[in-house]
Amino acid sequence: MDGVRFQDIENASGGVRRFLQDLQEALRSKRYKPRAVLRVYVPKSDGRQHPLGIPTIKDRVVQAATLLILEPIFEADFLDSSFGFRPGRSAHDALDAIRGHLARGKREVYDADLQGYFDSIPHKKLMKCVQMRVSDGRVLKLIRQWLSSAIEETDDRGRPTHRRPSAGTPQGGVISPLLANIYLHWFEVLFHRADGSASWANASIVRYADDFVVLARYQGERLRDWIESTLEGRFELTINREKTKVVCLGEVGASRWSFWVFHCGTNALCWEQRVTCTWVRAVSQ
C-alpha cells in the first residue's frame, strides 16, 4: 500500500487535477502498475470474518474509469435473471422475480451457496470470458494486472506478508463486482440454453452477484447434478454443501419459514435486510 489518503492528494501541489494528469500520463506511457491490495477482515454476524481487498486510491480511480467503459458493453449481454451490482436493478427486483416464479407453481427451491466465490474465480477462465467482448490489449493487460496484484496481510506477529493470488478478484475492488458478474453470466447462459435446465427441467434462476436460487416444480436429482457438476466442473467453483439446500414450499408449515434466502446471517441471499419482513409476510399469507 502506498499510504496516500484523499486529503494528501487534495493538499499536494496541483491538487486533484495534478493527480489525475499524472495518472493519465502514467497510463498513456504504460508506466502505470497496480500496487498491492490491502487485505482486511470484517466481522460477520455468525462470528466468522469476511475478507476484503482494498486497492490504493490510484488503483481505484483507474478501475472506476475502466468500469465506466466496460459496464455498458457487458450490460448489453447480461440476462434478466441477474440483479446484483447492476445499474437500475436491486434486491427488491430480485425478490419480485422470485415471488413471480413461486406464483407460477415453481415452489421447490435450490438455494445455492458458493464457497469463497470472489477469492476462487479462476483467472484464465475469467479472462476468456472477458475476451468474448473485449479485444483491446491495453484493457486486458490492466485487468490481468489487477487480478495478479499482490495481497498484503499482517501475520500473527504483526509483520506484513505478500502473496500473489492464482485465483479470485478481491471484494473491495471497484472492478470486482463486474468481473464476478461476467463469470457467472456464462453459467446463466448455459442454464438458459436449449439443452440447459431452463428447457428440460422447466426451471428458473434468480441470481444476485454470487448467490442464486433455482426454482422448479420438481427438484430432481438430474437438476441438482447438473447445477453442481457444471459449477464445480466447468467453472471450477466450490459449492458449500453445508449451506446449500433444497426447500419445498409446498410442505406443511413451509409458509412459516425462517429458511434460506431471507434468514439474515446465514446466506448473502437475504439481499437487503430491510425487505426481509415484508417478503416473509407477503409469502406466508
Side-chain angles (χ1 to χ4, degrees), residues 88-138:
R89 289 177 160 245
S90 69
H92 292 275
D93 298 323
L95 299 180
D96 287 342
I98 292 175
R99 184 183 290 111
H101 294 311
L102 292 173
R104 287 188 285 275
K106 298 179 179 181
R107 303 186 67 83
E108 294 199 7
V109 184
Y110 180 98
D111 173 28
D113 185 274
L114 295 176
Q115 186 170 308
Y117 172 65
F118 278 81
D119 286 333
S120 61
I121 304 173
H123 288 171
K124 288 184 178 180
K125 289 193 172 185
L126 172 59
M127 288 307 302
K128 287 182 179 180
C129 294
V130 174
Q131 287 175 282
M132 295 290 286
R133 295 289 272 143
V134 178
S135 59
D136 191 310
R138 294 166 297 180

Side-chain angles (χ1 to χ4, degrees), residues 3-153:
V4 177
R5 302 169 299 172
F6 285 108
Q7 64 189 64
D8 297 329
I9 296 171
E10 293 171 342
N11 295 334
S13 176
V16 174
R17 185 180 182 86
R18 177 63 180 272
F19 169 80
L20 293 176
Q21 288 174 340
D22 290 346
L23 186 53
Q24 181 184 35
E25 177 58 26
L27 288 165
R28 189 195 63 80
S29 61
K30 301 180 181 179
R31 291 184 291 104
Y32 166 79
K33 290 185 178 180
R35 300 294 294 268
V37 173
L38 178 63
R39 174 57 58 89
V40 297
Y41 293 90
V42 179
K44 300 178 69 173
S45 59
D46 60 2
R48 295 180 302 157
Q49 291 192 317
H50 181 71
L52 293 177
I54 310 299
T56 64
I57 294 175
K58 183 180 294 185
D59 293 334
R60 276 180 274 171
V61 170
V62 180
Q63 287 187 21
T66 306
L67 180 66
L68 289 174
I69 297 171
L70 295 184
E71 188 173 63
I73 295 173
F74 288 99
E75 271 295 316
D77 293 339
F78 287 162
L79 303 179
D80 290 340
S81 50
S82 68
F83 296 87
F85 304 113
R86 295 186 58 188
R89 289 177 160 245
S90 69
H92 292 275
D93 298 323
L95 299 180
D96 287 342
I98 292 175
R99 184 183 290 111
H101 294 311
L102 292 173
R104 287 188 285 275
K106 298 179 179 181
R107 303 186 67 83
E108 294 199 7
V109 184
Y110 180 98
D111 173 28
D113 185 274
L114 295 176
Q115 186 170 308
Y117 172 65
F118 278 81
D119 286 333
S120 61
I121 304 173
H123 288 171
K124 288 184 178 180
K125 289 193 172 185
L126 172 59
M127 288 307 302
K128 287 182 179 180
C129 294
V130 174
Q131 287 175 282
M132 295 290 286
R133 295 289 272 143
V134 178
S135 59
D136 191 310
R138 294 166 297 180
V139 175
L140 294 172
K141 181 180 178 181
L142 280 176
I143 296 174
R144 289 192 185 95
Q145 287 179 318
W146 291 325
L147 291 175
S148 61
S149 292
I151 296 176
E152 179 180 313
E153 297 187 72

Side-chain angles (χ1 to χ4, degrees), residues 118-240:
F118 278 81
D119 286 333
S120 61
I121 304 173
H123 288 171
K124 288 184 178 180
K125 289 193 172 185
L126 172 59
M127 288 307 302
K128 287 182 179 180
C129 294
V130 174
Q131 287 175 282
M132 295 290 286
R133 295 289 272 143
V134 178
S135 59
D136 191 310
R138 294 166 297 180
V139 175
L140 294 172
K141 181 180 178 181
L142 280 176
I143 296 174
R144 289 192 185 95
Q145 287 179 318
W146 291 325
L147 291 175
S148 61
S149 292
I151 296 176
E152 179 180 313
E153 297 187 72
T154 302
D155 64 15
D156 295 337
R157 298 183 180 181
R159 299 173 301 184
T161 63
H162 293 81
R163 64 178 179 84
R164 295 276 179 181
S166 59
T169 175
Q171 283 183 279
V174 180
I175 200 74
S176 293
L178 176 63
L179 295 177
N181 268 338
I182 289 171
Y183 195 59
L184 278 182
H185 161 72
W186 287 99
F187 174 71
E188 290 176 88
V189 169
L190 294 179
F191 184 91
H192 287 104
R193 220 166 55 172
D195 59 347
S197 299
S199 177
W200 51 260
N202 192 26
S204 299
I205 185 171
V206 178
R207 182 174 68 85
Y208 194 94
D210 57 323
D211 295 294
F212 68 90
V213 290
V214 173
L215 304 97
R217 292 181 180 274
Y218 172 66
Q219 289 281 344
E221 184 176 347
R222 181 187 176 193
L223 177 56
R224 295 193 298 271
D225 286 348
W226 184 91
I227 295 170
E228 294 169 0
S229 63
T230 302
L231 287 170
E232 295 189 321
R234 187 162 186 165
F235 287 85
E236 297 182 21
L237 301 173
T238 301
I239 294 174
N240 187 332

